[in-house]
């Protein structure tokens, strides 16, 4: 890739200084960029250009003896690369720093925000231009860090709560309700399709799929997040789920396949932050639950075909199920489902009232349409269920379906 060239003296600068720009200076910057199209072309293709564009312009238009080469922002990051959050009780700490400003100020630190808004409105004071380099500054940062909060429980974007990490910790502080379609993909896809066409909810696919972040049929990107973000998602599932939630203009609904991501499933099932809609067989017969896991296992069975011996179909099936979800995981999920069936809300009207009262808009949307969701589930015909299974096991699916093969959505509004 050819190296991009810049006018002399306009090489990009990172982290030099932020400041408030006057109208005249903004006009000069716009005129300059309009005349020098190479500047526009460079920043047009730069990732997060605001991190260096204003610094570059400020350094170009300001006499160099009037601007510091040292960043005038105070910030510190924890071991996971997340910035520490300042609250109202850190006002005295921040006022004693010789920096232009600090980041990040917490959303609930209203007093601190109001105080610095007053400071910003005052007449400018002569700055101390002799601020030394970061490594030379005589400030005991370690003492400051000990007084900083580890978290701020003010919404789903927080993912380093009180020293705990992970999806379960994130969900325990989540204030943005969501809904989970939990069951074999052949059924969750139909319900997701119905909600996608009949509501204004944000409906995604199997976002916890181990192979890809599934945002829905034919969707490879969701507002900056990509379907190949598997390693990024799995490094910190709580962080990634928070990023999804903050990008949703309307309440989120997504699919979750039993057994494919046990850690995430356990977190969603045990959290009261969202509604979980389990899709299960209408009866507890062994063949019904074998069919349940066969439909959840999906392509894993195909991977086992090469090792298949004549007459060993059931062994191959069990082995594929074990590869998809360990026996202890399947047992745990079965207990969740059994408990959910026993404690589900008997009345559809009562379910609607409870979900609306507990989960707000998304609870109302789900509760009002529960009978339609039941109808959408019933519309998945026998042939479609059979064809959703690997070809080598479709005869088993057909046998397990029996004469009825009915499925239901459990009305469960509380944690499992």
């Amino acid at each position: 890739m050819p190296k991009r060239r810049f006018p002399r003296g306009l090489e990009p600068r990172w982290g030099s200084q932020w400041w408030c720009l006057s109208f005249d200076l903004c006009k000069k910057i716009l005129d300059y960029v309009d005349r020098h199209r190479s500047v526009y072309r460079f920043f047009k293709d730069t990732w997060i250009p605001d991190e260096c564009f204003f610094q570059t312009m400020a350094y170009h238009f300001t006499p160099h003896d009037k601007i510091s080469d040292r960043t005038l922002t105070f910030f510190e990051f924890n071991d996971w690369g997340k910035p520490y959050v300042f609250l109202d009780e850190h006002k005295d700490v921040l006022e004693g720093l010789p920096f232009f400003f600090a980041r990040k100020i917490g959303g609930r630190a209203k007093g601190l925000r109001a105080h610095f808004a007053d400071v910003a409105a005052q007449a400018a004071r002569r700055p101390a231009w002799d601020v030394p380099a970061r490594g030379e500054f005589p400030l005991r940062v370690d003492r400051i860090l000990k007084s900083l909060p580890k978290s701020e429980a003010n919404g789903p974007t927080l993912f380093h709560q009180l020293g705990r990490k992970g999806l379960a910790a994130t969900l325990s502080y989540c204030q943005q309700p969501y809904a989970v379609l939990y069951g074999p993909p052949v059924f969750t896809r139909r319900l997701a399709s119905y909600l996608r066409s009949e509501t204004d909810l944000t409906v995604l696919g199997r976002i916890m799929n181990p192979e890809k972040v599934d945002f829905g049929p034919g969707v490879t990107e969701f507002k900056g997040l990509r379907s190949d973000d598997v390693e990024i998602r799995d490094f910190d599932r709580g962080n990634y789920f928070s990023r999804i939630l903050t990008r949703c203009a309307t309440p989120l609904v997504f699919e979750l396949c039993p057994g494919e991501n046990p850690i995430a499933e356990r977190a969603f099932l045990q959290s009261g932050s969202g509604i979980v809609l389990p899709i299960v067989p209408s009866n507890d017969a062994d063949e019904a639950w074998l069919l349940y896991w066969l439909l959840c296992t999906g392509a894993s069975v195909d991977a086992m075909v090469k090792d298949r011996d004549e007459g060993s179909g059931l062994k191959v099936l069990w082995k594929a199920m074990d590869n998809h979800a360990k026996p202890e995981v399947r047992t745990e999920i079965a207990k969740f489902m059994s408990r959910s069936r026993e404690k589900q809300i008997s009345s559809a009207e009562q379910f609607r009232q409870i979900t609306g009262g507990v989960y707000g808009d998304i609870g109302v949307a789900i509760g009002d349409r529960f009978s339609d969701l039941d109808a959408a589930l019933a519309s998945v015909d026998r042939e479609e269920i059979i064809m959703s299974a690997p070809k080598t096991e479709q005869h088993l699916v057909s046998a397990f379906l029996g004469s009825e093969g009915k499925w239901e959505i459990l009305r469960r509004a509380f944690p499992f």
Side-chain angles (χ1 to χ4, degrees):
M1 181 176 180
K3 184 177 180 180
R4 288 175 288 184
R5 303 181 63 180
F6 260 84
R8 185 179 300 275
L10 258 183
E11 294 78 11
R13 295 179 58 83
W14 281 265
S16 56
Q17 180 178 349
W18 284 96
W19 55 7
C20 298
L21 305 180
S22 67
F23 177 79
D24 290 338
L25 184 53
C26 287
K27 189 174 185 302
K28 288 181 181 179
I29 291 175
L30 291 174
D31 290 342
Y32 190 90
V33 172
D34 188 55
R35 293 196 309 272
H36 296 78
R37 302 304 293 175
S38 61
V39 176
Y40 173 82
R41 287 194 299 271
F42 179 88
F43 287 107
K44 177 177 180 291
D45 297 327
T46 299
W47 176 248
I48 316 180
D50 57 298
E51 293 288 352
C52 58
F53 174 76
F54 290 103
Q55 291 89 332
T56 300
M57 294 295 103
Y59 199 82
H60 178 71
F61 285 102
T62 305
H64 291 187
D65 61 341
K66 298 296 184 183
I67 188 171
S68 171
D69 278 334
R70 185 202 188 283
T71 176
L72 299 183
T73 302
F74 176 67
F75 58 90
E76 290 293 338
F77 291 81
N78 63 16
D79 293 339
W80 278 60
K82 314 304 179 188
Y84 285 93
V85 180
F86 298 99
L87 303 178
D88 287 342
E89 52 265 34
H90 300 99
K91 171 177 169 290
D92 293 338
V93 174
L94 298 183
E95 279 194 321
L97 299 174
F99 299 95
F100 186 61
F101 68 80
R103 66 186 298 268
K104 297 187 171 188
I105 306 298
R108 60 185 173 90
K110 296 181 179 179
L112 188 60
R113 289 170 175 266
H115 171 73
F116 283 113
D118 292 339
V119 172
Q122 298 173 7
R125 292 175 290 182
R126 181 181 179 83
W129 299 116
D130 58 346
V131 176
R134 182 180 183 84
E136 302 171 358
F137 186 65
L139 178 69
R140 292 298 304 276
V141 176
D142 57 332
R143 293 180 182 176
I144 294 178
L145 295 183
K146 288 181 180 179
S147 69
L148 297 183
K150 299 299 182 184
S151 67
E152 185 193 13
N154 66 337
T157 57
L158 182 69
F159 40 80
H160 53 289
Q161 297 91 355
L162 303 177
R164 297 183 298 160
K165 302 179 180 71
L167 181 58
T170 299
L171 296 180
S172 67
Y173 285 85
C174 182
Q175 297 180 1
Q176 189 171 331
Y178 53 85
V180 184
L181 304 174
Y182 185 64
V186 65
F187 300 121
T188 59
R189 281 196 302 264
R190 178 61 59 86
L191 301 189
S193 177
Y194 166 78
L195 291 173
R196 199 175 283 120
S197 63
E198 298 297 328
T199 71
D200 61 354
L201 300 173
T202 300
V203 184
L204 305 182
R206 292 155 60 192
I207 58 176
M208 293 296 168
N209 186 338
E211 298 178 359
K212 70 172 184 176
V213 185
D214 178 13
F215 295 115
V219 181
T220 59
E221 184 175 351
F222 177 68
K223 299 183 178 180
L225 304 179
R226 298 177 56 84
S227 59
D228 57 1
D229 286 343
V230 175
E231 291 187 17
I232 297 174
R233 178 200 63 194
D234 291 346
F235 177 75
D236 190 335
R237 293 184 182 91
N239 177 16
Y240 200 83
F241 186 66
S242 298
R243 294 169 68 188
I244 292 177
L245 278 179
T246 55
R247 285 163 167 77
C248 295
T250 57
L252 170 66
V253 181
F254 63 94
E255 302 175 52
L256 190 61
C257 177
E260 71 178 8
N261 201 320
I263 295 176
E265 289 172 59
R266 187 178 295 110
F268 286 117
L269 291 173
Q270 294 179 340
S271 171
S273 301
I275 310 169
V276 179
L277 299 175
I279 302 166
V280 298
S282 296
N283 63 72
D284 284 328
D286 289 344
E287 58 269 23
W289 284 103
L290 275 173
L291 174 60
Y292 176 87
W293 284 111
L294 178 56
L295 295 176
C296 291
T297 302
S300 300
V301 175
D302 276 339
M304 303 298 300
V305 170
K306 60 182 181 181
D307 299 326
R308 181 172 182 163
D309 297 323
E310 187 68 28
S312 62
L314 194 57
K315 291 183 179 179
V316 172
L317 174 59
W318 281 109
K319 190 173 181 181
M321 289 167 54
D322 288 344
N323 284 349
H324 173 75
K326 295 180 179 179
E328 57 268 27
V329 171
R330 300 202 304 271
T331 299
E332 182 180 9
I333 291 174
K335 289 180 179 178
F336 277 132
M337 297 301 101
S338 176
R339 194 180 314 132
S340 179
R341 192 192 299 274
E342 293 172 0
K343 297 184 177 181
Q344 70 171 321
I345 301 171
S346 57
S347 165
E349 175 60 24
Q350 185 184 16
F351 176 77
R352 185 189 68 80
Q353 293 176 353
I354 291 176
T355 54
V358 174
Y359 298 105
D361 291 343
I362 194 167
V364 172
I366 296 296
D368 285 347
R369 293 172 174 81
F370 197 83
S371 59
D372 294 330
L373 290 173
D374 269 333
L377 178 62
S379 70
V380 182
D381 59 31
R382 177 189 177 89
E383 189 64 23
E384 188 174 351
I385 296 174
I386 295 173
M387 294 304 295
S388 71
K391 290 183 178 180
T392 55
E393 307 303 328
Q394 288 179 1
H395 65 289
L396 277 178
V397 172
S398 178
F400 288 153
L401 278 172
S403 59
E404 297 182 359
K406 291 184 178 179
W407 297 77
E408 64 177 323
I409 308 171
L410 301 182
R411 292 187 292 266
R412 184 75 174 143
F414 302 105
F416 284 63

